[in-house]
Amino acid sequence: MTAYIDVDVRPILRAGGEPFSIIMDAVDRLAPGQGVRLIASFRPVPLLSVMARKGFAHTDRPLDDGDWEVLFSPLAAEDAGQEDAGAGLAFEQWPDPVVTLDNRELDPPEPMVRILAAAEELGPGETLSALLGREPVFLFPELEKRGFRWLGGFTPDGSTYELSVRAPL
Amino acid sequence: MIGAKISRWTMSYFAAALGWLLVALAMLVGGLGYPAAELGAPDTLVVVHAVCIGWLSLSVCGALFQFVPVLVARPLPFDKWALPALFLINVGLVCLILGFLSLAGRIAPAVWLLPAGSVVLGAGLAMVALDLGLTLVSQPKGSALFVIAGLGALCATVALGVAFAFALAGSAGAYGDALLAAAIPIHAIAGLGGWLTLTAMGVSYRLLAMFMLSADLGERQSTSALKFGALALSVAVVGGLFAIGLEAGLGAVLIVAAVLGVISLALYGRDIATIYRSRKRRQLELNMRMATVSFANLAATVTLGTVIIVSGKVGVHVGAFAFLAVFGWLSGLIFAKLYKIVAFLTWLETYGPVMGRAPTPRVQDLAVERRSEKWFIIYFLGVWAATIMLMMGEGQAFRGAAAVMAVGSIGIIHELVRVRRLSDVAGSRRLPAGAIAPSLLFARN
């Protein structure tokens, strides 16, 4: 029986904030075998594939008032990491990246400069992916101002930050 | 929020802090306060508070407004408090200093200035502590824990300071008078050791790893320095207040706190060495080289403190010890990090909107390290000379050394102004279309 930690991101969304880091933080604090019960004001489609990569299956259901409840349950260790081809991805999925950047060895803020330069070259709806040594906190507001969406998180060993950026449609 | 925005008032805090530093250095050069006056004389208190609150605390607060949201990936709840808090801190500090000057008989007597100033100042600092503290407790780990402990120490420092101010005005009762008579060392330890040093330690863990491309230290390793530091502080403050309440001497309490404090700093030194060793960036920038000098000054401060305690000369040399801690360690680190932070924030504010769309300069192009380095060297030479002159009791020579420090400081400030004005960015890259020319004193976006 999986125990679930509740994460309600509706207040953050209502305040116009970006709840991704809160969710990732909750995931990082889970004990083995624990899952996350996420309450959000919409169905968080891009999050599903990120959580799948982190080794969580999901089930979701709409709540009465238009909100969504998503249960993320830990997969057995041998299933984790193979989820890209698995259950979570029958929904909207971002296209494969047209650019892949490895910015892990660059001095800050060079990773940010390169990602923004590459992002400007993307066609509508196209994505790029980048590997970084740190969470690019100052990049996100710039992406936001330019209408890009992004998803990111640390690999399970905490050494690499994986970022996907999608150009506006 | 997952991303961090540019803090609007960080530059204003830095500017006010640098202004207070110049005021304090002018007073030292002019012979106001220790060593011309006694260590506890009102004149000395003027200089001490201008330095510790005006220069050091305002710089640290300004940096924290920018750094704390990055640290815990969360915005500050009371963003709008930063500017009124800055105003209250400055007004309170001016009142406090006028109060000390009136105590010294330099201006007309006005005893109410001290309690009034301490309350206004305390209110400003409380706003900062509440804003930052509420953000930090949401993610209490790593560097955030150090800053939380530092803010706790700030509260203790302010509470004692307010009590002293009322006692000096004759309206704090018998316990207030007893505190004023005995608790000044606790006030100083909580301020310099707790608030300023613990916070600087915590922030430096993250900044050093970031600037040198080192792996962040494991949680357990960095918190061992914090545990001993927080314990030292608790012993000094709680134990000290008990000792005063029991009318016992502070000696034993302070020795225990000192031993714990030295252990904490030794662990910190080990951690910093680990970060240096694991760095990927071999060639260090000026800010890191100068931070290294400030770490050496911290080691020298600990050594000096140990020697004067063991040799029983605390009473004679405590001024030199505090001077080295304040100007060698804390001011040195703040100057070094300001140099990097101002350049980075200016770069981000100016070129963020056009990045990837037009050629922009690099962060390094905003500053000229070779020209700036000499001001840092002059500053540190002045600090060392001034410390030695204090130990030798050479008051006149000390003023000369303080003048050297002032020259170095003005040089560094001039470089920071040039960074803000983009003076060293040449040609068409300086302000490409869409870039935002920075204001000197605040961030435009």
Side-chain angles (χ1 to χ4, degrees):
Chain A
M1 187 66 196
T2 307
Y4 290 95
I5 306 282
D6 285 332
V7 179
D8 184 349
V9 296
R10 288 171 301 178
I12 301 169
L13 292 167
R14 269 199 296 274
E18 168 54 61
F20 185 76
S21 63
I22 312 292
I23 301 169
M24 287 302 123
D25 189 56
V27 171
D28 290 343
R29 288 158 183 253
L30 294 178
Q34 276 186 329
V36 171
R37 184 199 318 273
L38 180 75
I39 314 284
S41 46
F42 59 88
R43 188 161 176 274
V45 174
L47 181 68
L48 305 179
S49 62
V50 171
M51 290 297 286
R53 276 205 295 280
K54 283 187 164 277
F56 290 86
H58 79 272
T59 55
D60 53 11
R61 66 187 180 95
L63 302 175
D64 294 340
D65 40 10
D67 296 337
W68 283 79
E69 179 196 81
V70 189
L71 286 178
F72 291 105
S73 318
L75 294 164
E78 58 270 25
D79 297 334
Q82 300 168 10
E83 188 58 20
D84 275 350
L89 300 180
F91 309 100
E92 182 213 357
Q93 199 182 5
W94 288 9
D96 287 336
V98 294
V99 187
T100 308
L101 302 168
D102 184 348
N103 291 346
R104 282 175 293 185
E105 299 292 321
L106 296 178
D107 294 352
E110 198 58 24
M112 167 179 182
V113 176
R114 294 211 184 174
I115 290 168
L116 284 173
E120 289 293 326
E121 302 290 314
L122 294 176
E126 287 185 338
T127 70
L128 69 80
S129 80
L131 302 179
L132 299 112
R134 294 183 177 278
E135 187 174 26
V137 284
F138 290 103
L139 170 64
F140 298 130
E142 291 303 331
L143 288 173
E144 214 165 278
K145 279 183 215 154
R146 299 168 188 215
F148 289 92
R149 292 163 71 198
W150 81 92
L151 281 168
F154 280 102
T155 51
D157 65 350
S159 66
T160 302
Y161 190 90
E162 296 178 313
L163 177 74
S164 298
V165 175
R166 190 177 194 195
L169 282 166
Chain B
M1 183 189 81
I2 183 171
K5 298 199 166 62
I6 297 174
S7 163
R8 190 163 174 77
W9 304 114
T10 287
M11 288 301 155
S12 322
Y13 275 74
F14 289 169
L18 291 166
W20 279 109
L21 172 67
L22 291 180
V23 169
L25 286 172
M27 292 191 282
L28 288 178
V29 175
L32 189 89
Y34 185 80
E38 290 297 309
L39 208 53
D43 279 357
T44 305
L45 298 179
V46 170
V47 181
V48 164
H49 289 83
V51 171
C52 293
I53 301 170
W55 157 232
L56 299 176
S57 297
L58 281 179
S59 324
V60 170
C61 289
L64 289 178
F65 278 120
Q66 181 63 61
F67 187 69
V68 162
V70 175
L71 203 57
V72 297
R74 192 160 302 196
L76 299 172
F78 307 115
D79 223 5
K80 293 202 164 61
W81 287 8
L83 191 60
L86 177 63
F87 176 76
L88 289 179
I89 294 170
N90 278 297
V91 170
L93 182 53
V94 168
C95 287
L96 198 66
I97 284 177
L98 290 175
F100 288 135
L101 288 174
S102 113
L103 214 56
R106 289 179 180 275
I107 60 173
V111 281
W112 58 271
L113 276 168
L114 284 173
S118 73
V119 168
V120 173
L121 176 61
L125 289 170
M127 287 168 83
V128 175
L130 200 63
D131 198 12
L132 298 172
L134 284 176
T135 317
L136 288 164
V137 290
S138 66
Q139 289 257 42
K141 57 181 186 182
S143 288
L145 282 174
F146 279 87
V147 185
I148 292 171
L151 290 173
L154 173 64
C155 294
T157 313
V158 170
L160 281 171
V162 172
F164 297 162
F166 276 89
L168 282 169
S171 51
Y175 190 66
D177 292 340
L179 274 183
L180 181 63
I184 289 171
I186 304 176
H187 178 66
I189 289 167
L192 282 179
W195 156 235
L196 293 166
T197 293
L198 276 182
T199 307
M201 284 163 71
V203 172
S204 65
Y205 276 112
R206 280 297 289 271
L207 287 186
L208 261 48
M210 228 181 280
F211 295 159
M212 294 197 291
L213 297 180
S214 309
D216 279 317
L217 284 183
E219 189 84 352
R220 191 176 297 170
Q221 178 163 355
S222 67
T223 44
S224 56
L226 173 65
K227 279 178 190 152
F228 279 98
L231 198 59
L233 204 66
S234 313
V235 168
V237 175
V238 180
L241 290 179
F242 262 111
I244 292 169
L246 297 171
E247 295 183 11
L250 276 181
V253 170
L254 295 187
I255 290 291
V256 174
V259 170
L260 291 168
V262 169
I263 294 173
S264 166
L265 291 172
L267 290 168
Y268 175 62
R270 173 204 63 175
D271 294 348
I272 295 299
T274 308
I275 296 176
Y276 272 86
R277 271 199 300 272
S278 72
R279 73 180 195 268
K280 290 187 192 143
R281 176 181 263 178
R282 302 321 297 177
Q283 200 69 27
L284 291 182
E285 291 182 1
L286 180 62
N287 80 84
M288 278 312 311
R289 297 202 300 278
M290 294 304 118
T292 313
V293 179
S294 78
F295 294 132
N297 282 330
L298 175 61
T301 309
V302 172
T303 310
L304 178 60
T306 312
V307 169
I308 63 175
I309 289 174
V310 171
S311 62
K313 296 209 164 146
V314 176
V316 193
H317 291 312
V318 70
F321 166 78
F323 187 88
L324 189 57
V326 162
F327 287 106
W329 149 238
L330 290 166
S331 303
L333 186 69
I334 288 173
F335 260 144
K337 292 302 140 194
L338 274 190
Y339 190 73
K340 178 76 181 182
I341 295 170
V342 169
F344 174 71
L345 291 178
T346 304
W347 174 83
L348 186 62
E349 181 191 347
T350 310
Y351 302 110
V354 290
M355 230 174 270
R357 294 171 175 170
T360 57
R362 301 169 307 152
V363 181
Q364 301 91 305
D365 299 334
L366 270 61
V368 181
E369 291 203 345
R370 203 183 301 168
R371 196 180 59 215
S372 308
E373 184 164 24
K374 68 170 177 291
W375 301 121
F376 278 94
I377 293 172
I378 290 171
Y379 170 79
F380 279 122
L381 288 176
V383 171
W384 295 327
T387 308
I388 293 168
M389 291 310 128
L390 280 182
M391 296 196 68
M392 291 169 58
E394 297 285 344
Q396 282 303 324
F398 169 80
R399 288 168 63 177
V404 174
M405 288 167 61
V407 169
S409 305
I410 291 168
I412 296 170
I413 293 169
H414 180 65
E415 296 296 331
L416 294 175
V417 171
R418 287 184 65 84
V419 168
R420 259 333 255 172
R421 296 214 161 122
L422 309 173
S423 304
D424 291 309
V425 185
S428 62
R429 294 199 170 193
R430 185 164 176 270
L431 272 181
I436 301 168
S439 154
L440 190 58
L441 297 180
F442 60 91
R444 288 196 200 273
N445 50 346

